[in-house]
Amino acid sequence: MPTFHATTILSVRHDASVAIAGDGQVTMDAVVAKGDAVKVRKLDDVGLDGAGVLVGFAGSAADAFSLLERFETKVRDSPANIKRAAIELAKQWRTDRVLRRLESLLIVADRACSLIVSGSGDVIEPTDGILGIGSGGSYAVAAARALVGHTDQTPEQIVRHGMEIAGDLCVYTNREITVLNL
């Protein structure tokens, strides 16, 4: 799976809740081009019981928005099954000549599951409910695992604190954090 030096996205599923967070930094080479971008979205009226689906993306913004639109179409075709939508997107992404050139990763989550979707055909569901992508993803995941194991924080608090730690360690991640939850 590719690593993108452009952002950090973290998702935590814990105690029947799920939250996703993204930092706001947009980097072009060695320059911070924007500090307050929003890289997480909630797709309303889809997902299990119509509660919505959370989506976060790392990589090229234009590519991510193109994939986000395609994922939204797939999830509307299977509104209660994001696994099916993610698998269909991954298959299309991998086999379509234009799509396979897109450089991005997605995290998608609803009330039932959380997944990473990549252009190489990967659809990965974590064992522990914690997912991270982007340049600071590993830092954020490590922090989230420690917080889940040693605190009573909510998923929203865990993703915020995990992202703050990643922002302190990763030069491509800032502390301008957007958090969404279900």
Side-chain angles (χ1 to χ4, degrees):
M1 212 170 344
T3 299
F4 294 101
H5 298 291
T7 196
T8 301
I9 304 293
L10 176 64
S11 177
V12 173
R13 174 177 301 286
H14 186 61
D15 292 338
S17 296
V18 64
I20 192 168
D23 77 307
Q25 185 164 298
V26 175
T27 308
M28 297 177 73
D29 293 321
V31 176
V32 175
K34 183 173 174 72
D36 61 353
V38 178
K39 304 170 200 169
V40 293
R41 303 280 189 274
K42 181 178 181 189
L43 307 179
D44 289 316
D45 304 323
V46 294
L48 199 60
D49 299 326
V53 174
L54 304 176
V55 180
F57 54 86
S60 166
D63 292 354
F65 282 116
S66 178
L67 292 166
L68 180 61
E69 287 175 11
R70 283 179 167 76
F71 176 72
E72 188 169 11
T73 299
K74 299 287 185 196
V75 81
R76 290 199 186 283
D77 291 343
S78 306
N81 191 343
I82 68 163
K83 280 186 188 180
R84 171 176 274 166
I87 289 167
E88 290 300 317
L89 175 65
K91 286 195 292 191
Q92 183 182 19
W93 190 353
R94 185 176 177 154
T95 58
D96 184 277
R97 282 185 167 178
V98 174
L99 288 181
R100 72 175 153 218
R101 297 182 204 283
L102 300 182
E103 297 183 9
S104 189
L105 286 171
L106 299 176
I107 288 180
V108 298
D110 69 3
R111 289 191 188 267
C113 74
S114 302
L115 305 163
I116 291 178
V117 185
S118 81
S120 58
D122 296 315
V123 178
I124 300 168
E125 184 173 10
T127 304
D128 61 2
I130 301 171
L131 293 168
I133 57 175
S135 57
S138 295
Y139 301 121
V141 166
R145 285 184 177 150
L147 291 166
V148 165
H150 299 286
T151 70
D152 291 328
Q153 293 183 25
T154 66
E156 297 85 8
Q157 293 168 321
I158 292 168
V159 294
R160 179 167 304 281
H161 292 133
M163 291 293 294
E164 288 170 351
I165 291 166
D168 290 343
L169 298 172
C170 177
V171 298
Y172 297 104
T173 304
N174 70 9
R175 296 183 104 203
E176 185 71 30
I177 300 162
T178 303
V179 177
L180 301 173
N181 66 302
L182 293 176

